[in-house]
Amino acid sequence: AAAAWGVEARPTLVVLRPDGSMLFRESAGAYPNFRTITAQVEMRWRDPALGHYWISGGVAAGGFDTVGMVDNGRAERGRATFASSWQGLTYHFASAENRDAFARAPWRYVPRYGGWCATSIGDGELIEPDPANFLISGDRLLLFSDGMFGNARDTWQADSRTRSIRAEEAWAERRG
């Protein structure tokens, strides 16, 4: 039915904690291999704070180079060769220069709201973003979804002040 509407269905794997809260979620064209899944589950089990972050394929920001987004306005995939870790998360970069810039000031390049779609956070949801659909707002990198319900960046920009306030409140509540 989804294909008839022009919607691309993607399998999603969700692992829940005993209390029913989400421990791990991965949506992709194909499920990650067993080692990837177990490594992600183990990492998040040891550090529950990591459950607040959007991680795809074991990498924060979906493996996109966040320094390239902030400094150059370009969304491009990073490479594992140029990886850096911060607060338990691994980020990939397109070059050694970008990796080094991140290492000097990671807070400047980490996506706001854990990398989840900024619009959805304010609506009380965790929706996976399209990392190529981003916006620099003030000094914050925001990621947005772009799917069957439209471009969430357009929704944000239509009333960015209200959206920002709602997202900040919801994010603070979610983080406890």
Side-chain angles (χ1 to χ4, degrees):
W5 294 339
V7 176
E8 181 182 322
R10 295 185 332 170
T12 301
L13 171 68
V14 178
V15 177
L16 302 176
R17 290 185 177 91
D19 68 0
S21 63
M22 184 173 59
L23 176 66
F24 173 77
R25 177 183 172 157
E26 178 74 30
S27 292
Y31 289 118
N33 68 40
F34 183 74
R35 281 189 190 173
T36 301
I37 294 168
T38 56
Q40 288 296 311
V41 169
E42 180 182 352
M43 175 182 70
R44 289 167 188 241
W45 193 267
R46 280 183 294 161
D47 188 353
L50 295 180
H52 293 294
Y53 294 91
W54 176 61
I55 301 171
S56 180
V59 184
F64 276 70
D65 181 343
T66 58
V67 172
M69 293 173 175
V70 172
D71 289 350
N72 304 319
R74 268 193 341 255
E76 63 181 311
R77 286 203 175 275
R79 298 187 304 193
T81 309
F82 305 119
S84 184
S85 293
W86 187 65
Q87 293 191 343
L89 300 171
T90 299
Y91 293 83
H92 286 176
F93 302 94
S95 68
E97 293 80 17
N98 286 4
R99 179 200 57 212
D100 295 345
F102 179 86
R104 285 189 298 272
W107 56 89
R108 186 168 173 234
Y109 301 107
V110 171
R112 187 74 182 126
Y113 313 123
W116 296 101
C117 171
T119 302
S120 73
I121 290 293
D123 292 339
E125 300 177 296
L126 294 178
I127 296 179
E128 294 179 29
D130 171 357
N133 191 26
F134 70 95
L135 175 69
I136 308 302
S137 177
D139 61 349
R140 302 179 306 173
L141 170 59
L142 305 175
L143 304 180
F144 298 93
S145 62
D146 188 7
M148 66 188 265
F149 297 112
N151 188 329
R153 185 179 62 199
D154 294 342
T155 303
W156 179 279
Q157 289 179 305
D159 189 7
S160 62
R161 185 169 182 258
T162 301
R163 286 282 175 184
S164 180
I165 291 167
R166 287 175 52 192
E168 288 297 320
E169 290 171 353
W171 186 242
E173 184 177 316
R174 181 172 292 281
R175 301 268 314 190

